Amino acid sequence: MANGFGSLYVGSSGLRGAQNAINTTANNLANLNTVGYVREQVIFADETYNRIKDVTTRTNMQQNGLGVSIGDVVHIRDIFLDKAYRLEEGRSSFYNTSYEVVEQVEDFLQELNGMEFKESIQELWQSFQEYEKEPENSTNQNLVIEKTELFLTRCDSLYSDLISYQDNLNEQIKDSIDNINKLARDIYKLNSEIQKVESAKLETAMTVRDIRDAKIDELATYGKIRVEEDATGFAFITFENIELVGTDRAYEIELRKDDHTGFYTPYWKHLSDKRVGRYQDVFNLDAVISPEYDSDIGKVKALMLSRGSEYGTDEYLNGDDNDGTPYKELKKSSIMEVQSEISVLFRKIVLTVNNHFSPLKESNLDTITGTLDDGTTATFTYDNGTVTYNHIDKNGNEDIFVFKDEDAYLDRVDGKVGKTYRKANSILILDEENASYGIDNELPPRELFVRYGSDRYTKLTAADGKVYYVYNGERVDNPSTHYSLSRVEVNAEIRNKAGLMPCYTKNGAVNRDLSAQLAQAWEVKDMIIGPDDTIPCNISAFYDKIVGRTANRGSAYHSAGLTLERSAAALDKKRQEVIGVSSDEELTKMIKYQSAYNASSRFMSVISEMTELIVTQLR
């Protein structure tokens, strides 16, 4: 028994090592169903060795040791699987969030107000078909008014639902950013705690690491992250390529609120200067969404793209920019796209009806100057597609309005289908030759849909006594003068007295051509749903296209989300094979360590008996 009682040290170290291994295995079994728990494994190491004789040419080195020790208790993790899993989780979150938004929009279109909206379009068309039979019949006239009001109500309801959902997504973005900031702060604190525990290199902060890793997994669902851990156990994290958790702090993301919409835009507080209006946005929403560029990652980006930057209008869908910028912006947002498409459909119906009830024509004049009913003078000027209105009131105050360069309902195609849209080449005026009259036989004829902020015509009496009814276009500076959702109502005069609805010729005969053209105009296939649509359709089919395109977008998101979910699940399964606790494996280890403990115990008993025998015999 070299070194005296050295064998006792060997036996006791075996007992301690086996007992620690049993405790670790028991802890693994106790956390078998604990979410986020990473199994622990005991790493044994040799205890101190005593050298007896150095190596020579004739003998090997002789040494004896003091048994076994616990070298470390380690987390069993695979950093490459963690990285791959977090990436797939981020992508899955992006597409699943996008799909959830589209699914909700589909509900608005098909199951909630959507079906009612489609029915209101059909019923309005049917009312004009009845109106065509007897336009002078008050019952048919009132039916048109009733269905028109219903159509407006349901249009506004659908559009308002979409706006409310945008606001809901906006709040989700705010909540998500709050969670990201909280996760960053928590991870930073956990980093510091891990460093404190492990600084003496006596133990590993197992539980703290489990909590931190679970928070990093959660953070990965919000955006693109990269994690690097240094030798001290500190995890540095970048979020969307900018440092989020650094050496000395967790950096904060703040929100910039749009004055018009109230929409939030996340930006980096430490890289921005609010005093001069310079902001470093967190997300690059102009990037092409593609796995190739790692730009399809995270819930927050999906929420921001789906919400959009504005409320969608027909101007986005029919943007005149040569590079298609408005439409490109529109295509990023599933909600803005549907809002714009609904706005285009609404505007088409409104202008089709109004331009049949109160037709327009080109004056072939670039300037019309005349006197208003109050005796003041006004001038309309046409220049390169733009009309400007100039008026000086009795107090000498000058008003100058610029009207949008818009398509007018011009050019007769044939006697059956009325007119088509194109750009006007001069000032637009009432087409008195083809105008219809209400029961009062007065000009100008009343439009059915009126804008809140503008009359349809300005009456000007020229110096030669000729009267012009000049069309008041949609002003650039005043959205209330546009034929847009929530800015149009049924003409109060017609609503109060249906007989004022235009349906007679100047000589008092019923204008059946007007009602026939109006009913047939719904079948004209002159609508496309965007620059990428090559098949024109009529008013009824346009709504079906809206639903179909939304469904296609949702299907694409759903398919991508499912694929990425399966990929993330497969990676998580592999992760669990590494970090997860297997009851069978742990029970096998328990038996092994229990046997080792028993063996060490028997070894100690033998050494004790030998010692007792030697001491007794020496006596």
Side-chain angles (χ1 to χ4, degrees):
M1 215 169 11
N3 293 330
F5 294 98
S7 297
L8 288 175
Y9 286 104
V10 173
S12 65
S13 71
L15 283 173
R16 289 194 304 272
Q19 184 61 60
N20 286 332
I22 289 172
N23 292 340
T24 301
T25 304
N27 186 54
N28 286 340
L29 287 169
N31 289 280
L32 182 64
N33 297 315
T34 301
V35 177
Y37 178 78
V38 178
R39 71 185 176 97
E40 301 170 2
Q41 182 174 329
V42 173
I43 304 297
F44 292 102
D46 292 331
E47 193 50 277
T48 305
Y49 273 86
N50 292 322
R51 182 175 298 176
I52 299 173
K53 183 182 290 186
D54 290 334
V55 63
T56 67
T57 57
R58 295 183 178 182
T59 61
N60 293 326
M61 183 177 65
Q62 296 180 17
Q63 59 183 4
N64 65 353
L66 298 180
V68 68
S69 65
I70 302 297
D72 199 0
V73 180
V74 297
H75 260 174
I76 306 301
R77 296 196 74 96
D78 187 321
I79 60 174
F80 299 105
L81 282 177
D82 284 344
K83 181 179 179 181
Y85 169 75
R86 288 163 181 165
L87 178 62
E88 294 303 280
E89 271 288 281
R91 286 204 169 106
S92 173
S93 181
F94 176 88
Y95 287 104
N96 284 332
T97 300
S98 299
Y99 171 64
E100 289 171 7
V101 174
V102 175
E103 189 177 32
Q104 182 63 51
V105 173
E106 284 184 281
D107 284 342
F108 287 139
L109 291 175
Q110 295 179 323
E111 296 177 14
L112 304 177
N113 293 320
M115 285 303 294
E116 295 179 357
F117 177 68
K118 183 175 182 179
E119 289 170 0
S120 70
I121 297 173
Q122 294 173 336
E123 290 173 1
L124 182 60
W125 178 40
Q126 290 167 0
S127 73
F128 282 117
Q129 289 179 312
E130 293 298 317
Y131 179 74
E132 177 188 4
K133 299 173 184 176
E134 291 184 87
E136 75 283 8
N137 187 304
S138 61
T139 300
N140 292 340
Q141 293 171 345
N142 282 308
L143 180 65
V144 169
I145 295 170
E146 176 189 341
K147 297 304 180 184
T148 300
E149 290 184 320
L150 181 64
F151 168 71
L152 287 176
T153 299
R154 289 180 175 170
C155 277
D156 290 342
S157 178
L158 176 57
Y159 195 76
S160 296
D161 285 342
L162 292 170
I163 288 177
S164 296
Y165 190 47
Q166 278 181 297
D167 294 337
N168 178 278
L169 295 182
N170 195 48
E171 290 303 311
Q172 290 186 46
I173 291 169
K174 180 179 182 299
D175 292 341
S176 296
I177 295 300
D178 290 342
N179 287 338
I180 291 170
N181 286 329
K182 183 178 184 304
L183 286 169
R185 291 192 297 269
D186 291 346
I187 291 170
Y188 179 78
K189 290 177 182 177
L190 293 169
N191 277 338
S192 301
E193 190 172 341
I194 290 169
Q195 284 184 317
K196 290 177 183 177
V197 172
E198 298 181 355
S199 60
K201 299 189 181 299
L202 296 176
E203 60 179 314
T204 304
M206 300 296 184
T207 303
V208 182
R209 281 180 174 273
D210 288 345
I211 296 171
R212 186 188 69 180
D213 290 335
K215 289 184 179 293
I216 293 174
D217 285 349
E218 182 182 354
L219 182 64
T221 65
Y222 288 104
K224 181 171 65 176
I225 68 169
R226 188 176 72 252
V227 183
E228 294 181 0
E229 184 175 333
D230 66 9
T232 68
F234 194 99
F236 296 90
I237 299 176
T238 64
F239 187 85
E240 295 295 322
N241 302 319
I242 301 294
E243 191 172 39
L244 177 65
V245 179
T247 305
D248 58 344
R249 58 174 162 159
Y251 294 96
E252 188 174 357
I253 299 174
E254 289 195 341
L255 294 166
R256 181 172 73 256
K257 191 173 184 179
D258 184 78
D259 294 335
H260 171 57
T261 61
F263 290 170
Y264 294 115
T265 301
Y267 67 93
W268 293 104
K269 180 181 179 181
H270 65 291
L271 297 177
S272 303
D273 189 345
K274 292 191 289 187
R275 295 171 300 176
V276 297
R278 180 178 59 81
Y279 297 95
Q280 176 66 47
D281 290 341
V282 176
F283 299 95
N284 178 14
L285 302 182
D286 294 326
V288 177
I289 303 301
S290 169
E292 180 181 356
Y293 304 109
D294 282 343
S295 55
D296 58 344
I297 301 174
K299 172 183 178 180
V300 182
K301 178 179 281 189
L303 288 172
M304 293 187 67
L305 288 172
S306 297
R307 180 203 64 189
S309 59
E310 265 288 351
Y311 302 127
T313 67
D314 58 279
E315 295 176 358
Y316 280 97
L317 201 63
N318 296 325
D320 292 331
D321 293 40
N322 293 329
D323 64 352
T325 298
Y327 188 65
K328 289 178 183 177
E329 181 72 20
L330 182 69
K331 292 297 289 182
K332 298 177 185 177
S333 168
S334 51
I335 297 181
M336 282 183 65
E337 184 178 37
V338 171
Q339 286 175 326
S340 297
E341 290 164 352
I342 293 297
S343 297
V344 166
L345 179 58
F346 171 84
R347 181 181 174 85
K348 169 69 173 180
I349 292 173
V350 167
L351 294 184
T352 296
V353 174
N354 279 355
N355 290 330
H356 277 84
F357 273 26
S358 188
L360 302 173
K361 72 173 184 179
E362 293 179 291
S363 65
N364 296 322
L365 298 173
D366 291 337
T367 302
I368 298 178
T369 300
T371 304
L372 302 177
D373 288 341
D374 63 0
T376 58
T377 300
T379 300
F380 285 86
T381 304
Y382 175 89
D383 181 23
N384 195 28
T386 301
V387 175
T388 302
Y389 170 78
N390 187 289
H391 171 243
I392 299 177
D393 65 19
K394 293 181 178 179
N395 297 320
N397 299 316
E398 184 178 30
D399 290 324
I400 300 177
F401 303 141
V402 178
F403 299 116
K404 291 169 55 180
D405 180 14
E406 59 186 327
D407 291 341
Y409 204 54
L410 302 166
D411 297 333
R412 291 187 175 276
V413 178
D414 57 51
K416 295 181 178 179
V417 296
K419 304 178 182 181
T420 186
Y421 285 95
R422 71 166 176 81
K423 295 289 184 184
N425 295 314
S426 63
I427 299 171
L428 292 173
I429 61 174
L430 170 65
D431 185 0
E432 296 186 38
E433 182 180 345
N434 295 294
S436 299
Y437 297 78
I439 197 171
D440 60 351
N441 201 36
E442 291 183 358
L443 284 178
R446 296 166 179 82
E447 56 183 352
L448 182 60
F449 298 93
V450 297
R451 298 164 284 179
Y452 290 140
S454 177
D455 293 330
R456 184 170 179 83
Y457 298 105
T458 294
K459 181 181 177 182
L460 285 181
T461 304
D464 60 1
K466 185 175 182 178
V467 176
Y468 294 92
Y469 293 95
V470 183
Y471 175 64
N472 293 319
E474 297 172 320
R475 285 169 47 183
V476 173
D477 66 324
N478 188 354
S480 67
T481 64
H482 299 181
Y483 287 103
S484 302
L485 281 161
S486 304
R487 295 169 181 159
V488 171
E489 63 182 347
V490 176
N491 192 314
E493 292 181 330
I494 294 177
R495 185 174 61 242
N496 295 332
K497 188 175 182 180
L500 296 177
M501 187 181 297
C503 62
Y504 299 100
T505 63
K506 192 170 185 178
N507 60 16
V510 176
N511 190 348
R512 300 198 180 278
D513 286 342
L514 167 66
S515 56
Q517 289 179 6
L518 183 56
Q520 293 164 5
W522 289 67
E523 296 301 326
V524 177
K525 296 181 178 180
D526 61 352
M527 297 188 72
I528 58 173
I529 204 165
D532 56 353
D533 184 13
T534 59
I535 304 176
C537 65
N538 60 24
I539 289 174
S540 299
F542 189 83
Y543 182 79
D544 294 330
K545 277 192 176 184
I546 296 175
V547 175
R549 284 163 68 99
T550 303
N552 289 339
R553 172 180 276 201
S555 178
Y557 286 146
H558 187 46
S559 176
L562 283 178
T563 301
L564 290 165
E565 267 187 5
R566 296 190 188 103
S567 177
L571 287 168
D572 191 42
K573 184 178 179 181
K574 290 182 179 180
R575 272 208 325 170
Q576 292 305 319
E577 291 174 358
V578 176
I579 70 175
V581 179
S582 168
S583 58
D584 291 342
E585 184 180 350
E586 297 302 323
L587 287 171
T588 301
K589 288 181 178 180
M590 180 69 80
I591 295 171
K592 180 177 72 173
Y593 295 139
Q594 183 66 48
S595 298
Y597 184 88
N598 292 336
S600 296
S601 178
R602 287 194 297 271
F603 178 81
M604 289 288 290
S605 296
V606 171
I607 297 300
S608 177
E609 291 174 1
M610 288 175 60
T611 303
E612 183 179 358
L613 178 61
I614 292 172
V615 171
T616 303
Q617 291 298 323
L618 286 176
R619 243 197 291 173

